[in-house]
Amino acid sequence: MSDRSPLSPVPPGATADAVTPPESPAAPAQPVLESRASLRQPRESVASLQALAAVLPGLRWLIGLLIASIIIAALYFGRDILIPLALAVLVGFLLDPAVTRLKRWGLSRMLATLLVVVLALGALTGIGFYLGKQVQSLSADLPTYQNTIKQKLRNLRALSSGPSVWDGAIKTYSTVESEIAKAAAAAEKRPPRVQQVEVVRDEPKPLEKVVQWLDKVSEPVAMIGIVLLFVILILLDRDGLRDRLLRLMGGGNLHVATDALDEASVRIGKYLRMQFIVNVTYGIPMAAGLWLIGVPGALLWGVLATIMRFVPYVGPMIAAVFPLTLAFAVAPGWEMLLWTLGLILVLELISNNVIEPWLYGSSTGLSTLAIIMAATFWTALWGPIGLILSTPLTVCCLVLGRYLPGLQFMEVLLGSEPVLHPPQRLYQRLLADDVNGAIELAHADIAQRLPAKPSAQDKAGAVADFYAEVGVPSLQLAYKHHTENATAEHRLRLSNGWEAVLEELAEEFPAAQPPLAVNPAPHVLCVGARWEIDALAADMMAHSLQLQGVPARSASHALTPALGPEEMADWGQAQWLVLSTFHAQPQALVRQILRRVRRRYPQLKVVLTLWNGGPAVLQEQSLERLGADAVATSVLELLLRMAQLMAPDPAPLGYVAAALPEDDEARVQFLEHSGALLPVHAPMYKEAVLKAANVFNVKYAQVSLVGHDWVYTPGSLLSNTTPPGTQPGLPRDLSICAYVVRDSADLVVEDVARDPRFSDNPALVGAGVKFYAGVPLKTTKGYVLGTLCIMHDAPRTLADDEMQVLHAMAEDLVERLRAAHLADSAKDAAS
């Protein structure tokens, strides 16, 4: 066997120069060798790139660990400067609101800063002097407690030396120990001679004592001075420091940097305020309780408890030692000690389990484990000061991880919010074969959607919402990973797990209709197109339709070659076929299924549910070629579409108008007497509409005031087709805002064309509205005057934080209307 590679012109172990022939008649063979080498070079390049790609993740981790080590080393060795700076920033968070308030009152920032700092130092000095006097008074009284302490110690010694159930075991252990000691002493040789050495130290001179005292005091005094200087500089140049931080953090993206800095300041400021309130609500009852019990210096120990609770974990224990010790020393009996211990335990239980969860809420966004880990980490780096600063510093790390992609792992490690979305959590439980965990997640999700006393309609809506927001998205994940990452075992677990979950939900939320044995001829038959996940989605749709009062059931896959007698009866007696598919390009498959279905069961009308249909599939021409009677892309759309198609009396206008709420008459009367319909408010409405359109970057915005039969739209950006002489608006039956008023809740329609309630509405079709989001204009008395809504000429989504902004704008508009109404009422009363 030759050692030469067929693609290599150089034998193994030889150099290129050694085998290169001189110019000779055999030279024409070289181009062949060069061509082979040129073929090898791309292969070697691909192999090198693959090797580099395999090494990159490990290299990235190595670089990350190196950077983290450098940062930790810098934090440790630079603690002499960083600790005062961190303390100053923390104190600055506490004092800055007062400085800002004084500045708003007309003082300069310099004067406001100096005034706040002087007042803070004066308050601390006064508290220090008062506490010093309390300590001095207690020190003078301590000798009088010596007899009580000695008597209690004698009682404890007598109690411990008396007979007990352990005496026999202790005596046996002592005997065995003495025998072992004797044996060891006998085995040893002559003990070595022990020479005692006594070290006699010279008494330090007075000057040396002063120097030693100054050495001990100078460090904390210097620390306080540096912190005070930093606090003054931070308060004086707050805006400049903020701009510098924004420049360092954001680079060219000021939006991200501003959001990160605002969130960090809000979280830390809220945490400090809540911590202060929690500590005060602990310290005041502590002082009052100790005073009632009779413990000396009750106010001192209440203040000490308030201060020490700023130190996590260790502070409350240290603060409890002093009153317990005094209670032990003061009273000759044990009642005072027991009452003091009971008081501390009760206050700890109430503070930890009631006050702190109520006030803290999500002020920090840190998980409990992250707080403990952070306390350990910062204490190891910076000592006791690190323990005090651990929570604010960790909050900063959390915010950085939320806004900087390279530090996203910090949000995952430190945050209290779930890192997996509900569909991902459910999908993971099923992959792990944790069926019980998946069922618990499903029950918990549905329970969160139900009111305190749910009706059958509430339960049906909650289950449908669970299928829409958790069930179908988890099946979309399964479709995405079907061929990429999933194994046969994973697919089997997913199928069996979902079957168990659906059986549990069907038993927990039974259909409000006769059993299938009594009603064997369902009107709607839900089937999957091809895969198991298609059939699982069909089971979900059948259950959702049953809960809506529609006779429905699920059957085998549509392409099953052989059907049993019961299934053939279902297919033959069904009126509607709901065909589910997750295929991204289902045109050929759907056409094949529909040909077979219509050939065998011509009476069936087909509603196609495309869970992964893209824009190209959802075009009107593509849908016509599919040949289905209707198409849905979501659970809500399917339920609405089936209700529309199966209605005994179809809507005469081609769209569904909103029903009237129960208190509509009182609501309309309140609207008419509120003054909101007066023309004088038209500029206010116009301003709100323009601002909303600009903020959300949409084409249209509108304020809708919903009357009995007419919806008034002052300042609307939609084209006005109102006849002359009438107020701008449209009939209530045509208004999508009437749904917001009916439910007194938000309404978001991401694609109007896909919602059967509004797809044929002439007002929306004529204006070209494809997206709608509206929030109610609700008064303090609970009446809904109308809506503030935004619309666009293309489908889009709206995030949760954007909905909060729209709510805030609606609340501001209602408040301005209320203030204007009060001002008009005051003028009328004065005239």
Side-chain angles (χ1 to χ4, degrees):
M1 182 176 177
S2 174
D3 292 334
R4 184 188 298 269
S5 173
L7 295 179
S8 174
V10 182
T15 61
D17 295 334
V19 298
T20 302
E23 294 183 2
S24 64
Q30 181 149 356
V32 177
L33 297 177
E34 291 178 353
S35 63
R36 292 178 177 177
S38 63
L39 289 174
R40 187 180 63 177
Q41 288 175 359
R43 299 180 183 178
E44 292 177 347
S45 301
V46 172
S48 300
L49 290 175
Q50 292 176 348
L52 181 60
V55 172
L56 277 178
L59 185 61
R60 197 175 291 117
W61 274 101
L62 183 62
I63 294 174
L65 290 175
L66 180 61
I67 294 174
S69 302
I70 294 174
I71 293 174
I72 292 173
L75 290 173
Y76 179 76
F77 292 106
R79 60 186 182 276
D80 293 338
I81 297 177
L82 294 176
I83 289 176
L85 182 59
L87 284 173
V89 172
L90 192 65
V91 175
F93 273 112
L94 289 173
L95 299 183
D96 183 67
V99 174
T100 304
R101 179 63 59 87
L102 291 176
K103 187 179 177 182
R104 289 176 182 172
W105 290 350
L107 295 179
S108 64
R109 188 157 195 93
M110 171 71 76
L111 186 58
T113 299
L114 294 178
L115 182 59
V116 169
V117 171
V118 169
L119 290 176
L121 287 177
L124 292 175
T125 304
I127 293 174
F129 275 119
Y130 176 77
L131 296 180
K133 290 183 178 180
Q134 291 289 320
V135 172
Q136 184 178 3
S137 176
L138 283 175
S139 300
D141 294 338
L142 283 178
T144 61
Y145 307 141
Q146 292 181 2
N147 294 330
T148 304
I149 296 174
K150 290 178 181 179
Q151 184 62 36
K152 284 188 175 181
L153 292 177
R154 291 194 196 100
N155 295 338
L156 289 174
R157 192 180 300 112
L159 182 63
S160 62
S161 61
S164 67
V165 296
W166 303 103
D167 285 350
I170 295 173
K171 185 176 181 181
T172 302
Y173 175 78
S174 301
T175 303
V176 174
E177 186 180 20
S178 63
E179 291 297 330
I180 294 174
K182 289 178 182 179
E188 290 180 356
K189 294 182 180 181
R190 196 172 45 179
R193 191 178 297 175
V194 179
Q195 183 177 4
Q196 295 183 351
V197 178
E198 183 179 358
V199 178
V200 179
R201 297 182 179 179
D202 296 336
E203 288 290 331
K205 298 179 180 179
L207 182 59
E208 293 177 353
K209 290 183 179 181
V210 173
V211 173
Q212 292 176 0
W213 183 81
L214 288 177
D215 289 338
K216 295 179 180 179
V217 174
S218 61
E219 185 174 353
V221 170
M223 171 78 74
I224 293 173
I226 294 173
V227 170
L228 181 61
L229 179 61
F230 279 158
V231 167
I232 295 174
L233 294 177
I234 288 173
L235 292 176
L236 284 176
D237 195 25
R238 188 201 66 168
D239 295 337
L241 291 174
R242 181 186 59 189
D243 294 343
R244 296 178 191 278
L245 286 175
L246 290 172
R247 184 69 179 88
L248 289 174
M249 292 172 55
N253 192 345
L254 288 178
H255 299 84
V256 173
T258 301
D259 291 343
L261 198 59
D262 288 346
E263 182 175 348
S265 61
V266 168
R267 285 184 181 273
I268 294 175
K270 184 177 180 181
Y271 164 75
L272 292 175
R273 291 191 297 271
M274 293 303 102
Q275 180 73 61
F276 179 75
I277 294 173
V278 168
N279 294 359
V280 169
T281 57
Y282 182 91
I284 292 176
M286 171 70 81
L290 293 177
W291 177 76
L292 291 174
I293 293 171
V295 178
L299 183 59
L300 171 64
W301 308 129
V303 175
L304 181 64
T306 302
I307 296 174
M308 291 304 297
R309 285 184 67 86
F310 279 103
V311 182
Y313 310 112
V314 181
M317 292 187 290
I318 296 176
V321 169
F322 297 99
L324 288 174
T325 304
L326 269 179
F328 174 80
V330 171
W334 297 93
E335 293 82 3
M336 181 178 290
L337 177 62
L338 294 177
W339 277 109
T340 304
L341 180 60
L343 173 67
I344 293 173
L345 292 178
V346 169
L347 289 178
E348 285 291 338
L349 289 174
I350 295 176
S351 180
N352 295 334
N353 298 292
V354 178
I355 303 298
E356 289 184 6
W358 174 46
L359 290 178
Y360 282 164
S362 57
S363 60
T364 62
L366 299 174
S367 65
T368 304
L369 180 60
I371 293 175
I372 297 174
M373 292 174 57
T376 305
F377 174 78
W378 290 107
T379 304
L381 280 182
W382 288 357
I385 301 298
L387 182 61
I388 298 174
L389 298 173
S390 60
T391 300
L393 291 173
T394 310
V395 168
C396 294
C397 295
L398 173 68
V399 173
L400 289 176
R402 180 167 298 174
Y403 289 95
L404 298 181
L407 301 176
Q408 191 174 8
F409 69 94
M410 288 188 177
E411 183 184 10
V412 176
L413 292 176
L414 303 176
S416 60
E417 299 178 359
V419 296
L420 295 179
H421 298 300
Q424 295 173 324
R425 296 177 66 194
L426 183 62
Y427 182 58
Q428 186 276 329
R429 300 300 189 274
L430 296 174
L431 290 181
D433 204 15
D434 184 10
V435 179
N436 292 330
I439 293 174
E440 290 176 1
L441 286 177
H443 280 302
D445 187 277
I446 294 174
Q448 290 179 353
R449 305 174 189 272
L450 292 173
K453 296 181 179 179
S455 62
Q457 185 177 2
D458 294 330
K459 293 180 180 179
V463 173
D465 290 341
F466 167 75
Y467 287 147
E469 299 177 14
V470 181
V472 172
S474 71
L475 294 180
Q476 290 173 332
L477 289 174
Y479 169 78
K480 178 181 178 182
H481 299 294
H482 183 80
T483 56
E484 297 178 3
N485 304 315
T487 63
E489 178 69 19
H490 291 147
R491 300 187 194 108
L492 180 61
R493 291 177 181 178
L494 182 72
S495 176
N496 294 338
W498 257 121
E499 288 177 359
V501 172
L502 292 176
E503 288 177 3
E504 176 71 20
L505 293 180
E507 293 181 2
E508 179 71 20
F509 303 97
Q513 63 180 19
L516 293 180
V518 179
N519 183 20
H523 294 285
V524 179
L525 188 65
C526 301
V527 299
R530 180 178 180 182
W531 290 313
E532 185 67 20
I533 57 174
D534 297 339
L536 292 172
D539 293 338
M540 295 181 192
M541 297 309 100
H543 189 205
S544 298
L545 289 170
Q546 291 170 6
L547 293 176
Q548 298 293 333
V550 178
R553 67 174 296 176
S554 57
S556 302
H557 297 79
L559 291 180
T560 302
L563 298 176
E566 183 180 352
E567 292 177 324
M568 291 181 65
D570 289 342
W571 282 81
Q573 296 171 354
Q575 299 175 359
W576 292 90
L577 177 68
V578 176
L579 183 64
S580 294
T581 177
F582 283 87
H583 203 294
Q585 298 293 331
Q587 294 91 329
L589 177 64
V590 169
R591 284 195 292 267
Q592 178 188 1
I593 293 174
L594 293 187
R595 281 197 303 268
R596 295 180 59 180
V597 166
R598 294 223 163 94
R599 186 165 53 246
R600 297 182 183 182
Y601 309 102
Q603 86 284 358
L604 280 178
K605 297 179 181 179
V606 180
V607 177
L608 182 62
T609 51
L610 302 177
W611 303 116
N612 282 326
V617 181
L618 296 177
Q619 289 181 358
E620 187 174 353
Q621 299 82 358
S622 300
L623 296 178
E624 290 179 357
R625 286 195 295 268
L626 289 176
D629 296 280
V631 175
T633 59
S634 66
V635 177
L636 176 61
E637 183 181 355
L638 174 65
L639 297 179
L640 293 173
R641 185 69 66 185
M642 293 306 301
Q644 182 187 46
L645 295 173
M646 299 181 66
D649 298 321
L653 301 177
Y655 58 90
V656 182
L660 297 178
E662 295 180 357
D663 62 340
D664 193 64
E665 191 65 33
R667 185 196 63 80
V668 173
Q669 290 181 2
F670 185 88
L671 171 66
E672 293 173 350
H673 290 88
S674 66
L677 298 175
L678 295 176
V680 69
H681 300 312
M684 182 193 307
Y685 296 140
K686 188 70 173 181
E687 179 186 353
V689 164
L690 290 173
K691 184 180 293 185
N694 177 66
V695 167
F696 293 96
N697 194 25
V698 294
K699 192 171 183 180
Y700 310 116
Q702 182 173 282
V703 173
S704 300
L705 303 174
V706 181
H708 184 68
D709 296 318
W710 189 261
V711 176
Y712 305 91
T713 58
S716 174
L717 297 183
L718 288 171
S719 58
N720 184 16
T721 58
T722 306
T726 60
Q727 294 194 39
L730 72 164
R732 183 170 178 173
D733 291 342
L734 288 174
S735 176
I736 190 174
C737 298
Y739 279 86
V740 180
V741 174
R742 182 198 68 178
D743 300 328
S744 185
D746 306 342
L747 177 63
V748 178
V749 183
E750 297 179 356
D751 189 352
V752 172
R754 303 246 51 90
D755 195 313
R757 297 169 296 179
F758 314 118
S759 57
D760 297 327
N761 189 315
L764 299 175
V765 173
V769 174
K770 301 292 185 182
F771 164 80
Y772 173 90
V775 296
L777 296 173
K778 188 177 294 186
T779 66
T780 55
K781 295 184 178 180
Y783 291 111
V784 178
L785 304 179
T787 68
L788 174 63
C789 59
I790 56 176
M791 293 163 282
H792 202 50
D793 57 358
R796 61 169 291 181
T797 59
L798 204 65
D800 292 339
D801 55 347
E802 292 179 312
M803 284 298 298
Q804 294 177 4
V805 174
L806 188 60
H807 267 287
M809 297 181 69
E811 292 171 1
D812 179 68
L813 180 59
V814 172
E815 181 62 27
R816 292 173 63 186
L817 283 173
R818 190 182 71 87
H821 180 67
L822 292 177
D824 293 340
S825 300
K827 289 181 181 178
D828 294 340
S831 60

